[in-house]
Amino acid sequence: MAGTEPGRRTGNIFFAFAPWIIFDVVASPSTWKYAALAALVASVVLNLGDIRRGRLKILEVTGIVFFAVLSVLALAVDRHDLIWLETYAQPLANGVIAVVALVSLAFDPFTAQYARETTPREYWDSPVFRHINVVLTAVWSAVFVVIAVLGVVAVHTEGSSDWLNWVIPVALLVLAVRFTERYPDQYAARHATERAAV
């Protein structure tokens, strides 16, 4: 996920998704409170290095704030008043990631924050670096939009919740991971070939 230099990597982007995955796996109407607490702990522990350096990224900040808010609500608000949250916890979490990712496209694609960890500074402003991270961020945004919609549909559909909450989302995430691993090198190589041919 970088410019035209060799050794492009995805940085720690997959660790950034870990708390959200933990929440998705654990959350259900009866366990979402524990899922929120587990995801909050994971958000803090996995990002201790960035917290100490004062260099938190947008996805990390969103995770800490979102799961902290859920944990506070779980402790402070009567369960009867949180039925809507119990019902839509998973789609809500995925929707939040999707919105953050989409908003980041207008400023600094969130994947670029991770790409800079393994990319020399001289490539950060290159058109190739920018293009790669816009595409990757757009792909992840689309994946989480779809997963959020599937979660809402699952709430209102009987008999297909496993497909909508697990099978299809996992397949989409695997495809997104593979795309993230391969696309930067493929695009950079294609770009270099096109420039050489000019």
Side-chain angles (χ1 to χ4, degrees), residues 10-192:
T10 53
N12 296 319
I13 190 171
F14 303 123
F15 288 108
F17 285 128
W20 302 91
I21 294 171
I22 290 171
F23 184 77
D24 265 355
V25 169
V26 178
S28 71
S30 61
T31 62
W32 72 269
K33 297 179 180 180
Y34 305 108
L37 184 58
L40 175 60
V41 170
S43 294
V44 173
V45 171
L46 291 174
N47 298 306
L48 275 177
D50 284 344
I51 291 172
R52 287 174 183 155
R53 290 189 296 270
R55 295 192 326 206
L56 282 171
K57 301 170 184 70
I58 188 171
L59 201 60
E60 297 166 354
V61 172
T62 302
I64 291 171
V65 171
F66 179 76
F67 296 121
V69 169
L70 286 191
S71 297
V72 169
L73 287 175
L75 294 171
V77 180
D78 185 81
R79 181 178 182 271
H80 177 74
D81 295 324
L82 294 176
I83 296 299
W84 65 271
L85 187 53
E86 289 187 4
T87 304
Y88 294 102
Q90 288 171 305
L92 177 63
N94 290 308
V96 167
I97 305 179
V99 169
V100 169
L102 286 168
V103 169
S104 78
L105 282 170
F107 304 97
D108 183 29
F110 84 88
T111 58
Q113 295 181 320
Y114 298 91
R116 291 189 187 103
E117 294 179 343
T118 54
T119 303
R121 182 177 290 274
E122 62 263 29
Y123 295 99
W124 292 2
D125 295 322
S126 73
V128 172
F129 183 89
R130 173 74 182 174
H131 174 86
I132 287 171
N133 285 287
V134 165
V135 170
L136 292 181
T137 297
V139 167
W140 281 104
S141 300
V143 165
F144 282 110
V145 166
V146 171
I147 292 175
V149 170
L150 290 174
V152 172
V153 173
V155 169
H156 300 284
T157 305
E158 294 183 9
S160 59
S161 61
D162 285 346
W163 277 94
L164 297 174
N165 282 326
W166 302 106
V167 179
I168 298 175
V170 167
L172 289 173
L173 290 171
V174 168
L175 289 173
V177 167
R178 290 184 177 174
F179 183 79
T180 300
E181 291 173 340
R182 297 174 182 174
Y183 180 75
D185 286 325
Q186 291 174 347
Y187 179 80
R190 186 167 71 247
H191 180 78

